[in-house]
Structure formats: C-alpha cells, structure tokens
Amino acid sequence: MHIHSRIADLRSALQGCGRIVFVPTMGNLHAGHISLMEQARAHGDTVVASIFVNRLQFGPNEDFDKYPRTFEADCARLTAAGVDVLFAPTESDLYPEPQEYHVEPPGIQNILDGEFRPGHFRGVATVVTKLFNCVQPQVALFGKKDYQQLMVIRNMTRQLALPIKIVGGETVRADDGLALSSRNGYLSPAERAEAPRLYRLLQEIRSAILAGNRDYAGLERKALDELAAAGWKSDYVAVRQQSDLSLPQTANAPLVVLAASRLGATRLIDNIEI
Ligand code: PAF
C-alpha cells in the first residue's frame, strides 16, 4: 500500500490508475470499515482509503482531541484488506489556510443528528467535497450506520453534479447486535454489556410496524422510556421516510428508524431500515 500525505503527491500517484474507488475514514478502523474496503474492490481498479480526523465536523464540546488515533494498526488492516493507496493528510496538508469556504447542506443538516450537533454536516460535506477533489474517484463508499451522513453526501453529490457514484455499505454488527463504531471503545465493560439494547429496541419498532402498528410517535416514546429506565440519555428515536428523512407521510413509503442516545459519556447512533 502506498501512503501519501500531500495532495500533489496523491494526484500524481493516481494518474493512470483506472477507475478509482474511494473509502474516506477518520481512522481507528474496525470490521465495518474493512467491509467497505473489501466491497470497494468490486467497483473499480484502484482502491483508495483516507484517514483524516476532520476538526470541522466536531463541535466545541465533542471528542476531537480524544478521538482515537491508531495509525500504525490502521495501516496494517488496510494493507491486509488489499487497499492500494492511503491518503493520510495532516491538518496543514488539507487545511493549509483557515477553511473559509464551506459546503452548506440544506435543512437536512438541522434535523435529527444535526439538531444535536450544529455544524456537523456542514463540516462533513466540506471535507468530503475536498477529499473528493483530492482523490477524484469515480465511486465512493460510505457506511449506512451514519444514515443521515450518507443521505447528505448522496444529495450533495447529485445536486452539485459531481461525477461520483455513491454506494452505501450495510452496517456491520457485533454478535450481540451492537453496530461497530470507533466510539464503542469509550464504553466501560458495564456500558458495553448494556449497549445492544439500542439495536434491540430498533428491531422491536421495526417488527411492530411490519405487524401493522402505525402509531409511530407511540413507538418512539416507548423506546425512549425504556432507554431512560436503563440509564440512557436520548437525543431521539425517530421513524422517518428513507427518501428524505422527513416524517412518514405516504402509506407504504420505505421507512427507517434512527436513534441517538448517550450511555454514560458515549453517544451511540444506530438505525434500521424497514
Ligand atoms: O464517517 C466518517 O468517518 C467521516 O464523517 C468522514 C466521512 C470520513 C468525513 O470526515
């Protein structure tokens, strides 16, 4: 695997590399990321990963400084997964001057996770656009675990006519159902044992809806109550339309249930499509 930190070096290394498939990450890689790298291979000739912990998408009270940086271990995993090129810029490589121009997503950036993480999706959209410009891929893969992020990036790519196909990868879970996430490492053993409750509740909502229950608000409330009783502090549990994450309006529109909740100091998100 070739590693580049400078944009100019990356660009010249990727010349003549055929169809480029890109998987951006913030590192601290787990099996979910590696599954995206493996899927990437089927979409083109050269698989490029990036590792960059993007300051722009963290709020002032979020975990930018303590976000786990595990570069050596990440490189070993990427090499084993057959990734061809790693783009690992430093902050001064990617932001050599203060980033004053931003990509501003529309209203979707203010709902669900956006309501609780102001500026987050603007930071994501800006860095992803910049990474796209550095790598110039034909295909890019993002995990469905960050469902709203995937939607922001899909819509942005379409509306800005970026010539990139966006592919969503299925969420990879531990045996007990917990969605893999770099933030799972923050959980204490007791919190880790409790954490699968979030996905269990999403599964219960899905089963209830498939059985004909249309009292979405009631289902959300019940899940929030159960989380609170088990010591969680929830931001939301929400049944939404898959198409635009708006409230369910049309009968039979494909739905998704999304949740964000805090266990101790760790904020977990998850979702399930219906
Ligand atoms: O999902 C992530 O790891 C990040 O939000 C991304 C897409 C790499 C942008 O920093």
Side-chain angles (χ1 to χ4, degrees):
M1 182 174 73
H2 299 280
I3 303 177
H4 300 284
S5 59
R6 295 179 50 225
I7 297 172
D9 294 344
L10 175 79
R11 285 203 179 126
S12 54
L14 291 180
Q15 267 170 25
C17 281
R19 192 171 161 83
I20 292 171
V21 191
F22 180 41
V23 187
T25 80
M26 296 202 301
N28 193 230
L29 304 179
H30 50 66
H33 295 110
I34 299 307
S35 151
L36 290 178
M37 306 295 162
E38 288 164 357
Q39 291 171 54
R41 177 61 56 205
H43 292 275
D45 304 304
T46 301
V47 176
V48 180
S50 67
I51 295 179
F52 181 68
V53 185
N54 173 40
R55 184 185 290 278
L56 296 186
Q57 70 190 72
F58 288 79
N61 300 318
E62 293 187 351
D63 55 346
F64 175 76
D65 287 325
K66 80 164 191 180
Y67 197 85
R69 276 114 171 136
T70 52
F71 189 70
E72 299 303 324
D74 291 346
C75 286
R77 296 199 79 161
L78 292 173
T79 304
V83 168
D84 301 298
V85 175
L86 171 63
F87 179 42
T90 62
E91 280 208 283
S92 58
D93 289 316
L94 207 61
Y95 299 132
E97 53 186 316
Q99 187 71 30
E100 293 169 339
Y101 288 78
H102 292 94
V103 179
E104 193 73 49
I108 191 172
Q109 75 162 324
N110 300 319
I111 62 169
L112 300 169
D113 246 44
E115 183 184 339
F116 298 91
R117 303 187 70 191
H120 171 69
F121 289 112
R122 176 192 205 240
V124 169
T126 302
V127 79
V128 168
T129 304
K130 197 155 184 177
L131 291 168
F132 281 174
N133 285 333
C134 298
V135 177
Q136 302 187 12
Q138 279 71 47
V139 183
L141 283 82
F142 295 84
K144 281 192 189 178
K145 170 163 175 295
D146 295 300
Y147 206 86
Q148 193 173 0
Q149 166 173 284
L150 175 60
M151 176 145 299
V152 167
I153 290 166
R154 255 193 219 296
N155 294 350
M156 174 187 86
T157 305
R158 191 187 62 249
Q159 288 208 356
L160 297 180
L162 305 180
I164 303 168
K165 178 179 172 196
I166 304 297
V167 176
E170 294 303 327
T171 301
V172 178
R173 298 181 180 282
D175 289 345
D176 58 10
L178 178 65
L180 298 192
S181 162
S182 301
R183 293 190 167 97
N184 293 352
Y186 301 152
L187 297 168
S188 70
E191 289 166 348
R192 175 61 189 82
E194 169 60 24
R197 185 186 301 275
L198 190 62
Y199 184 55
R200 275 204 307 277
L201 290 173
L202 295 181
Q203 287 176 303
E204 283 176 27
I205 295 178
R206 179 177 192 273
S207 304
I209 293 174
L210 288 176
N213 190 333
R214 295 290 176 270
D215 177 13
Y216 304 129
L219 291 169
E220 291 167 4
R221 216 168 24 248
K222 182 164 172 288
L224 288 167
D225 288 347
E226 283 190 37
L227 286 167
W232 297 65
K233 294 201 173 13
S234 297
D235 286 344
Y236 59 85
V237 173
V239 180
R240 294 296 170 103
Q241 298 201 146
Q242 279 181 30
S243 58
D244 55 4
L245 302 185
S246 64
L247 292 167
Q249 290 143 21
T250 348
N252 300 328
L255 300 176
V256 56
V257 193
L258 308 104
S261 194
R262 238 181 220 87
L263 201 47
T266 309
R267 186 174 187 273
L268 299 178
I269 61 169
D270 204 350
N271 64 78
I272 191 167
E273 290 177 321
I274 301 180

